Amino acid sequence: MKRVFSGVQPTGNIHLGNYLGALRQFVELQEDHECIYCIVDMHAITVPQEPKELKEHILDVAALYLAVGIDPKKSIVFVQSDVPGHAELSWVLTCSSYTGELSRMTQFKDKSKNKESAPTGLFTYPVLMAADILLYDTDVVPVGNDQKQHIELCRDLAIRVNGKHPNTFVVPDGRFLKSGARIMALDDPTKKMSKSAENIHSRISLLDEPSKIKKSIMKATTDSEGIIRFDVENKPGISNLLNIYSVLSGISIEDLEKKYEGKGYGDFKKDLVEITVDALAPIRARYEEIRNSQMLIDVLKDGAKRADEIAQKTMERVKTNFGLGL
Ligand code: AMP
Ligand code: TRP
């Protein structure tokens, strides 16, 4: 069986973009892959975090993982900082990376724009991500489109190290969803939906109440043409809503265009509210059951143990191949 690894940051507000771009794939892949799903808290501290909040967010994401359907009997679910191998391998890979390639990462460029100096953790973020993946001899990494460049860097690092120290790493492949891979912000459909945007109506969080979902969708930016047509260039708002509707309902975008011919944005949005509320209700219900349970803690502890066993074997091999340690 091929091995899958992926991670989500515990920074709160897991949203529809995360769900459609990443979490839904995680669930599907469990059926015929050996899956490892991580809550990447060490990535989260690349920007300042309130310790109490971070702890809560770790458990929020863990509970959401299980609520969307990740099954701890099939998959390993754990917290990154509970397995020391991530930090260890990250250093080894840092020494095989170049400042030039890290400077070219668009996420780093975005986050450090207009600043004379940026936090080093933001700069080496993609190296830690490569360590996460390579530590488990991962074959497949399911992620949203926005992570393409980071996956490419991970592959480059693995190939580079293997060139010097043969058979050290498995070179992984990214797995990117086509439709739904990029969900845009509701208030500005030229930007991707994000956890950190200030306007809460820019996103639909997986745990939003129905009334909040309604408000966010009804407020979503559209255009003045009044025709429901998919055209990302000229109608990014409606196109984003069509995309969300399509991936949540399973109805193709062409069929949706036909269904809403001659109808206004108001009708379309009302239906989208219903579809979204119905899709998220069972997730919210399961989350409430799990979030404060001992079961959740047990799953994470057991997950860390199982992950650590795999990680230690890889670190042994890495250290031997590099000539590190005794
Ligand atoms: P992050 O929110 O950056 O921790 O991302 C968690 C996962 O969700 C990653 O696989 C991202 O690629 C994916 N993701 C984040 N934002 C979006 C978005 N707006 N549309 C689709 N996928 C996304
Ligand atoms: N950088 C990823 C994101 O923001 C999160 C992440 C960290 C990740 N380590 C990973 C994703 C390893 C896949 C594999 O979405």
Side-chain angles (χ1 to χ4, degrees):
M1 265 212 278
K2 293 219 160 166
R3 186 172 285 157
V4 164
F5 182 97
S6 196
V8 172
Q9 292 195 54
T11 39
N13 300 323
I14 297 279
H15 53 69
L16 212 52
N18 298 131
Y19 178 52
L20 299 173
L23 295 176
R24 271 215 324 198
Q25 295 190 71
F26 293 4
V27 176
E28 284 164 22
L29 285 163
Q30 292 182 117
E31 300 315 316
D32 45 8
H33 293 76
E34 187 188 340
C35 297
I36 306 179
Y37 297 125
C38 186
I39 297 142
V40 291
D41 56 345
M42 297 203 297
H43 279 100
I45 61 165
T46 55
V47 296
Q49 299 288 341
E50 204 51 58
K52 279 207 187 86
E53 271 178 26
L54 180 58
K55 192 115 280 153
E56 293 301 312
H57 286 154
I58 289 172
L59 294 173
D60 289 348
V61 175
L64 265 179
Y65 266 165
L66 304 191
V68 299
I70 290 170
D71 178 355
K73 288 196 197 76
K74 294 183 188 148
S75 304
I76 296 179
V77 179
F78 77 105
V79 182
Q80 186 184 32
S81 63
D82 286 337
V83 176
H86 293 259
E88 291 174 28
L89 185 56
S90 182
W91 177 253
V92 176
L93 291 172
T94 298
C95 298
S96 297
S97 68
Y98 288 90
T99 54
E101 59 193 351
L102 297 186
S103 311
R104 284 193 292 276
M105 296 290 124
T106 52
Q107 188 172 303
F108 173 71
K109 284 201 277 189
D110 285 349
K111 291 194 176 172
S112 61
K113 206 160 39 190
N114 303 328
K115 293 191 187 115
E116 202 181 305
S117 184
T120 309
L122 278 182
F123 187 60
T124 54
Y125 177 112
V127 180
L128 178 59
M129 176 165 164
D132 297 340
I133 297 166
L134 300 179
L135 191 57
Y136 297 97
D137 293 337
T138 304
D139 300 295
V140 186
V141 188
V143 274
N145 266 339
D146 61 327
Q147 297 298 311
K148 251 186 191 153
Q149 211 187 11
H150 290 163
I151 299 291
E152 219 29 65
L153 178 83
C154 173
R155 288 170 51 85
D156 288 347
L157 290 175
I159 292 167
R160 186 178 305 153
V161 169
N162 285 346
K164 194 152 180 1
H165 311 285
N167 304 319
T168 302
F169 294 126
V170 171
V171 181
D173 285 310
R175 184 179 188 273
F176 308 98
L177 253 194
K178 271 197 214 84
S179 68
R182 207 171 153 80
I183 303 294
M184 309 311 280
L186 298 179
D187 62 337
D188 178 358
T190 59
K191 295 201 185 109
K192 72 168 189 169
M193 188 177 283
S194 100
K195 288 173 181 164
S196 55
E198 219 160 283
N199 180 2
I200 58 163
H201 293 296
S202 68
R203 66 184 157 259
I204 293 172
S205 294
L206 287 193
L207 300 174
D208 277 350
E209 307 269 345
S211 59
K212 152 71 175 63
I213 295 175
K214 182 168 178 197
K215 203 159 175 197
S216 302
I217 291 179
M218 297 315 283
K219 277 164 86 92
T221 301
T222 50
D223 53 65
S224 54
E225 192 191 37
I227 297 171
I228 294 153
R229 181 167 57 84
F230 190 81
D231 176 352
V232 176
E233 193 110 312
N234 300 306
K235 296 166 72 68
I238 280 294
S239 301
N240 186 39
L241 297 181
L242 272 168
N243 187 26
I244 294 172
Y245 195 137
S246 172
V247 283
L248 284 180
S249 66
I251 306 172
S252 73
I253 287 176
E254 294 92 83
D255 286 349
L256 286 176
E257 286 173 340
K258 274 187 217 129
K259 183 173 151 98
Y260 287 97
E261 221 175 274
K263 294 206 177 133
Y265 292 161
D267 290 333
F268 172 75
K269 282 181 165 180
K270 256 189 226 145
D271 290 352
L272 179 57
V273 170
E274 204 179 306
I275 298 268
T276 310
V277 168
D278 286 351
L280 299 189
I283 296 176
R284 218 157 62 97
R286 254 189 76 60
Y287 172 88
E288 297 296 341
E289 266 170 44
I290 297 166
R291 174 59 174 80
N292 294 311
S293 68
Q294 182 59 37
M295 184 270 279
L296 183 63
I297 307 294
D298 293 343
V299 162
L300 294 175
K301 281 192 179 157
D302 177 64
K305 218 169 103 197
R306 286 156 68 198
D308 192 48
E309 276 169 28
I310 306 171
Q312 283 196 32
K313 278 194 199 131
T314 309
M315 279 318 296
E316 281 291 310
R317 189 173 74 227
V318 168
K319 287 175 77 175
T320 303
N321 290 4
F322 275 79
L324 288 165
L326 261 188

